[in-house]
Amino acid sequence: MKPLLFRVPTVDDRSFRVQVDDGPHFYDRLHFHPELQLTLIRESVGTQVVGDRIDRFRPYDLLLLGANLPHVFRNDPDYFAPDTAHRALSYSVYLHPDHLKQTVFGMPELDHLDQLFQEARHGVRIRFSEAASLTTHMEQLHKLRPFEQLITLLTVLDGMASDSRREILSITAYEQARRPDDHQRLDNVFTYILNHYATPITLEEVAAQAHLTPSAFCRFFRLHTRKTFSQLLNEVRIEHACRLLQESKLPISQIAFSCGYTNLSNFNRQFKLITNLTPGQYIKALF
């Protein structure tokens, strides 16, 4: 397979690129690029990987991802069905760090954005439950003249920098691009876990996806994710269990088994460890 360095199409006479992605699902491979990425998820849901953080994405998530930060927005399986009626829609801006330093971002009036761009190395997210001023600006961006786009982009960044709801996603920051074969191995592992989390997965099976021995895989995986394989697998399973608790009326025991747990007490223990709530408390908190 080709290395997962993602090439963002450039515009010769522009310092940033505005892009609308509209289709049945988003690009589903773990990738990175040297540009910063500002993205509004407008429609669709799924699992996101940003650095060493795995959780859900949903409509009205606004994210700022730093240069070379590995990420993927993987829609739920029904978005990939041949006859799906689902729609995945996002609005993005890609900016090259050098352009930021050489142009308006060197102005003292924009010094307050420095902290935001430092945080972007880890990935920044603000979650909105409905349309808001910043999300509306992102949706309109592609319709504006270049100068208006620049003003609107600065407005969105200013709004993110001053919003106390923003959260840091990844513990690890990524300054330099990883080796392409490391990205390929991680992509293989994440894809395998997301496709098979509902069934038993052994260390030997997942190590084979990275073409490593189990002991070498454990070292590799902890180095690149700051987690053990079992920690990440439990996070993925509990993340999907949370979705089922929100969207279905299935019994807790059935949800546990459908997410790959063969022991209900282990499911309850892992759920409390990751969410700080029991499944029952989680359901009550939803209503």
Side-chain angles (χ1 to χ4, degrees):
M1 296 184 180
K2 294 181 179 180
L4 298 179
L5 169 61
F6 191 80
R7 301 293 184 181
V8 177
T10 59
V11 181
D12 291 339
D13 61 345
R14 301 292 304 280
S15 59
F16 57 90
R17 174 183 172 82
V18 178
Q19 179 170 306
V20 179
D21 291 294
D22 188 357
H25 58 78
F26 295 136
Y27 180 67
D28 65 340
R29 302 292 302 277
L30 185 71
H31 62 284
F32 68 97
H33 40 72
E35 296 83 6
L36 281 82
Q37 177 178 337
L38 174 66
T39 290
L40 170 70
I41 305 292
R42 181 58 187 85
E43 292 188 35
S44 82
V45 296
T47 300
Q48 73 177 27
V49 178
V50 175
D52 57 22
R53 173 76 173 268
I54 294 182
D55 63 357
R56 299 287 289 175
F57 67 85
R58 66 190 190 194
Y60 295 114
D61 279 359
L62 181 61
L63 303 102
L64 182 63
L65 309 178
N68 297 316
L69 180 62
H71 61 279
V72 63
F73 301 100
R74 185 182 178 87
N75 290 108
D76 289 338
D78 47 350
Y79 282 80
F80 294 87
D83 57 347
T84 183
H86 288 302
R87 182 189 189 194
L89 173 63
S90 68
Y91 300 90
S92 298
V93 180
Y94 295 91
L95 315 92
H96 199 285
D98 289 345
H99 290 155
L100 302 183
K101 297 174 184 177
Q102 296 170 0
T103 55
V104 295
F105 287 87
M107 298 173 64
E109 289 82 3
L110 299 177
D111 285 348
H112 67 295
L113 298 183
D114 289 344
Q115 178 64 30
L116 178 66
F117 286 110
Q118 286 298 315
E119 294 173 359
R121 296 162 53 219
H122 302 261
V124 176
R125 178 175 64 193
I126 301 176
R127 309 203 92 162
F128 298 93
S129 58
E130 58 186 3
S133 175
L134 295 185
T135 66
T136 300
H137 284 318
M138 287 295 295
E139 290 188 59
Q140 296 174 344
L141 201 59
H142 67 288
K143 303 176 182 178
L144 304 178
R145 296 184 299 110
F147 178 79
E148 294 172 325
Q149 287 181 341
L150 175 60
I151 299 301
T152 302
L153 172 60
L154 292 175
T155 299
V156 173
L157 293 173
D158 175 69
M160 293 188 73
S162 59
D163 196 316
S164 62
R165 293 171 295 176
R166 72 181 187 278
E167 59 178 317
I168 306 299
L169 296 177
S170 173
I171 295 175
T172 307
Y174 297 82
E175 294 287 349
Q176 302 294 328
R178 292 192 184 123
R179 296 188 310 171
D181 57 340
D182 286 349
H183 265 90
Q184 184 62 71
R185 284 175 171 152
L186 284 172
D187 180 63
N188 290 347
V189 169
F190 283 132
T191 298
Y192 188 82
I193 291 173
L194 292 174
N195 288 339
H196 297 87
Y197 70 89
T199 61
I201 302 177
T202 66
L203 177 60
E204 289 74 16
E205 288 172 341
V206 76
Q209 303 303 311
H211 305 289
L212 295 170
T213 65
S215 59
F217 170 76
C218 289
R219 292 192 297 271
F220 167 83
F221 198 74
R222 182 173 279 281
L223 174 65
H224 289 287
T225 68
R226 302 299 189 270
K227 300 177 183 181
T228 66
F229 160 65
S230 61
Q231 284 176 319
L232 184 132
L233 179 58
N234 278 312
E235 288 179 4
V236 170
R237 285 173 168 170
I238 297 304
E239 178 261 319
H240 282 274
C242 289
R243 175 173 60 88
L244 291 176
L245 289 171
Q246 294 174 34
E247 299 175 358
S248 75
K249 297 185 180 299
L250 295 173
I252 292 176
S253 59
Q254 188 172 342
I255 288 176
F257 296 140
S258 68
C259 291
Y261 290 96
T262 58
N263 183 296
L264 184 58
S265 62
N266 184 37
F267 168 75
N268 289 332
R269 183 168 57 254
Q270 295 297 334
F271 197 98
K272 179 69 177 294
L273 181 65
I274 293 171
T275 67
N276 293 318
L277 297 170
T278 67
Q281 291 170 334
Y282 185 86
I283 292 174
K284 289 180 181 180
L286 295 174
F287 303 101

